[in-house]
Amino acid sequence: MIDVLVVGSGISGLSVAFLLAKEGFNVLVLEKEEIPGGNIQTEKADGFILELGPQTILADKKVEEFLQLVGIQPEYAREEAKIRYIYKKGRLIPLPLSPVEFFKSPLLSFGAKLRVLKEPFVGPSIKTEESIAEFVRRRLGKEFLDYIIDPFISGVYAGDPESLSVKYAVRRVYELEQKFGSLIKGAIKLKALGPGGRLISFNGGNHTLIKKLAEKLSLDTENVVLKIRKKEDRFIVDAKKGKYEAKSVVIAAPATSAGYLLRDISWSASEVFDQIYYAPIVVVHVSVEKGSIPKGFGFLIPRVEKRKILGVLFSSQIFEKRAPEGKELLTVYLGGSRDPEIIDYEDEDIFSIVDKELRDLLSINKLEFLRLTRWKRAIPQYTLGYGRYLELAKTLEDENPGLFLAGNYLYGVSVADCIRASYSVAERVKNFLRARG
Ligand SMILES: Cc1cc2nc3c(=O)[nH]c(=O)nc-3n(C[C@H](O)[C@H](O)[C@H](O)COP(=O)(O)OP(=O)(O)OC[C@H]3O[C@@H](n4cnc5c(N)ncnc54)[C@H](O)[C@@H]3O)c2cc1C
């Protein structure tokens, strides 16, 4: 019998599987699609390396430790990638990287900067749960929300700060207020003003990590899991290619699939997990002439600027060898919960929006479209009341020993969050298997 059957070969499933296989457990990963990796997909075309999903991974010590264990060398972002821009009223303004730069920057008005200085004196909220927008307006003011937090949330979640929960979506920020009564005081005490890691990818793109993990695992692709049942001390897993018996199961598929697979074990899981909203994203890869864009990471566009594009990454400037000689690669993001309908637009309409806005925003006059990717359910939104989903996940695990849940809808949406979370999931599985004998 299999020790651990993992459903899903996204980074969550593969990392948990890898950590357990390394401990000598017999692990099998089943994946629905032909190519493993879930959101992490890289394509190569005409000398370009196109990231269809995540572009950069913010690697802290834990993530670097994981990569070392896997035996893969990260590729670090170039120094210039530290420059990030925010679009404001026709200009790209560099995001300030220090308090001094912040006070010199034209990004916020003088009044808005003074408002930020009041932050340490702002009292706590009387509400039980606040949205990110409510929290930021209360602590830092509306302009800070509009020109710094809104684009940041768009960059991470493709989300709307009015509906995301500060407690669940940006827990670290929420905890600063809880512990220190002020974000500024907390950040100074923890010296936590920096990004907390280095931006990385891999030679050949992020899918190189997936390939490396897959090589080390027993993974069966194009084998969709259909149902998971419990029978005495084991799980029976019905999949397209057959029936499997496992001592434990880790479901590392998106929330809706996880709920559906568990319909035999918990009907409410399938109903409740189905309510988690995943914002759609359209990704457009564009090639432009070298020298036609500024140096840096890219830019984000605040909602108040009323553009269709959410943000643009200067992909070939972040990492080496992403575009052929004489060209730059741009990755353009549209949609999100700001503009979900765009997912259903015709390709031509999306290209024409990108064409018009890029010419306008960057004064580019020659661009070539390389690829358009639609993610209908891209990123789970940790909205107000999200705690109920986390409680359900915990209850499911508590009531069904041997069943474990993993994935970006539980422990954070970034690739780094998924890798970090895999350690605690693997630890729980390990403890269960050792106790079971
Ligand atoms: C466009 C885009 C850009 C992003 N940019 C960044 C970024 O720059 N940096 C960053 O850190 N993060 C980024 N993210 C977020 C990050 O990529 C994801 O949160 C993360 O990769 C999710 O990994 P996961 O393993 O939890 O889920 P997934 O990647 O969704 O993997 C789940 C897997 O389960 C499989 N599956 C589902 N149902 C079944 C079934 N019944 N049987 C078998 N298999 C099944 C799926 O096919 C899939 O392979 C981005 C995401 C998107 C979509």
Side-chain angles (χ1 to χ4, degrees):
M1 189 176 7
I2 303 159
D3 289 329
V4 194
L5 188 140
V6 177
V7 183
S9 71
I11 190 64
S12 299
L14 292 181
S15 327
V16 175
F18 169 76
L19 292 172
L20 289 166
K22 195 136 183 79
E23 297 272 334
F25 293 107
N26 167 10
V27 184
L28 173 66
V29 184
L30 300 186
E31 167 57 47
K32 166 175 89 158
E33 304 292 341
E34 183 189 348
I35 303 172
N39 289 168
I40 301 183
Q41 298 295 335
T42 310
E43 265 186 22
K44 294 179 185 159
D46 304 329
F48 291 96
I49 295 180
L50 312 178
E51 293 292 3
L52 312 188
Q55 293 264 338
T56 55
I57 299 167
L58 185 57
D60 63 357
K61 271 199 187 132
K62 196 76 190 167
V63 173
E64 297 247 12
E65 176 193 309
F66 176 81
L67 299 175
Q68 226 170 22
L69 215 56
V70 177
I72 186 169
Q73 188 60 36
E75 184 185 343
Y76 293 99
R78 287 187 180 137
E79 201 47 32
E80 296 94 301
K82 288 207 170 108
I83 313 169
R84 293 168 182 239
Y85 301 90
I86 303 285
Y87 176 82
K88 183 179 185 184
K89 300 190 172 89
R91 288 167 65 191
L92 293 186
I93 300 177
L95 190 68
L97 294 173
S98 68
V100 175
E101 282 182 26
F102 174 76
F103 286 102
K104 284 190 185 160
S105 165
L107 188 56
L108 298 189
S109 69
F110 181 66
K113 287 175 191 167
L114 283 184
R115 175 65 181 77
V116 170
L117 288 178
K118 284 193 196 156
E119 195 276 336
F121 308 102
V122 174
S125 166
I126 48 161
K127 290 182 88 169
T128 46
E129 198 179 334
E130 279 184 299
S131 70
I132 295 177
E134 287 169 328
F135 178 89
V136 176
R137 268 195 296 266
R138 176 170 61 79
R139 297 220 62 90
L140 295 151
K142 181 177 180 313
E143 229 178 286
F144 197 92
L145 169 69
D146 287 346
Y147 278 97
I148 296 184
I149 301 302
D150 172 83
F152 167 75
I153 292 300
S154 177
V156 176
Y157 280 94
D160 177 3
E162 299 290 346
S163 57
L164 293 179
S165 159
V166 71
K167 182 169 172 189
Y168 297 105
V170 284
R171 184 173 275 278
R172 293 234 284 275
V173 175
Y174 170 78
E175 283 172 354
L176 282 183
E177 184 187 50
Q178 296 292 304
K179 281 189 195 143
F180 302 98
S182 150
L183 310 185
I184 295 180
K185 278 192 218 159
I188 291 171
K189 282 213 175 115
L190 297 177
K191 296 194 176 71
L193 285 166
R198 291 177 75 182
L199 281 184
I200 62 157
S201 177
F202 304 92
N203 189 3
N206 288 328
H207 208 259
T208 304
L209 170 62
I210 298 297
K211 278 193 212 112
K212 189 86 184 175
L213 283 164
E215 259 168 44
K216 293 171 184 275
L217 290 165
S218 169
L219 163 68
D220 196 21
T221 54
E222 294 183 275
N223 194 1
V224 63
V225 175
L226 304 166
K227 196 188 243 189
I228 296 166
R229 290 173 288 145
K230 246 180 116 174
K231 195 176 160 203
E232 290 143 23
D233 64 341
R234 64 195 58 189
F235 291 89
I236 312 290
V237 178
D238 298 314
K240 184 179 153 197
K241 296 188 195 166
K243 210 184 273 295
Y244 303 83
E245 287 200 5
K247 292 180 193 166
S248 67
V249 170
V250 177
I251 306 182
T256 309
S257 304
Y260 178 72
L261 293 179
L262 288 172
R263 62 197 180 284
D264 228 46
I265 292 176
S266 159
W267 181 249
S268 66
S270 58
E271 285 210 324
V272 177
F273 278 160
D274 200 32
Q275 292 161 11
I276 296 179
Y277 174 57
Y278 281 66
I281 300 182
V282 175
V283 183
V284 181
H285 288 95
V286 179
S287 152
V288 296
E289 299 298 311
K290 201 159 189 84
S292 58
I293 53 170
K295 275 200 175 353
F297 183 83
F299 63 92
L300 288 162
I301 307 184
R303 180 179 307 254
V304 288
E305 291 290 331
K306 299 201 180 338
R307 297 278 179 164
K308 284 279 190 198
I309 289 179
L310 299 175
V312 178
L313 291 188
F314 303 159
S315 305
S316 52
Q317 296 205 5
I318 305 174
F319 298 110
E320 309 277 344
K321 296 189 244 155
R322 301 293 158 132
E325 203 55 43
K327 302 277 183 197
E328 297 279 12
L329 171 64
L330 305 185
T331 312
V332 182
Y333 297 89
L334 303 105
S337 45
R338 197 187 285 181
D339 194 10
E341 298 82 30
I342 208 159
I343 196 81
D344 296 318
Y345 286 18
E346 299 292 330
D347 287 11
E348 289 67 37
D349 296 336
I350 296 174
F351 286 144
S352 115
I353 290 167
V354 172
D355 186 83
K356 183 175 172 304
E357 291 203 356
L358 278 189
R359 283 175 199 276
D360 197 21
L361 300 166
L362 289 170
S363 316
I364 298 170
N365 47 35
K366 207 169 150 214
L367 45 99
E368 186 192 340
F369 289 104
L370 301 170
R371 199 186 195 292
L372 186 150
T373 310
R374 286 185 168 79
W375 295 94
K376 272 197 186 291
R377 292 170 55 77
I379 299 191
Q381 302 294 303
Y382 290 32
T383 46
L384 287 167
Y386 203 81
R388 71 181 186 279
Y389 303 120
L390 306 181
E391 277 159 28
L392 173 63
K394 187 168 182 319
T395 308
L396 283 167
E397 288 194 5
D398 289 348
E399 289 178 354
N400 300 284
L403 170 71
F404 301 92
L405 297 172
N408 63 355
Y409 68 101
L410 293 172
Y411 308 111
V413 299
S414 75
V415 172
D417 289 331
C418 296
I419 293 175
R420 279 189 293 266
S422 66
Y423 276 89
S424 59
V425 177
E427 192 62 29
R428 295 205 299 278
V429 180
K430 213 161 66 183
N431 291 339
F432 166 79
L433 288 171
R434 295 217 164 118
R436 186 186 187 275

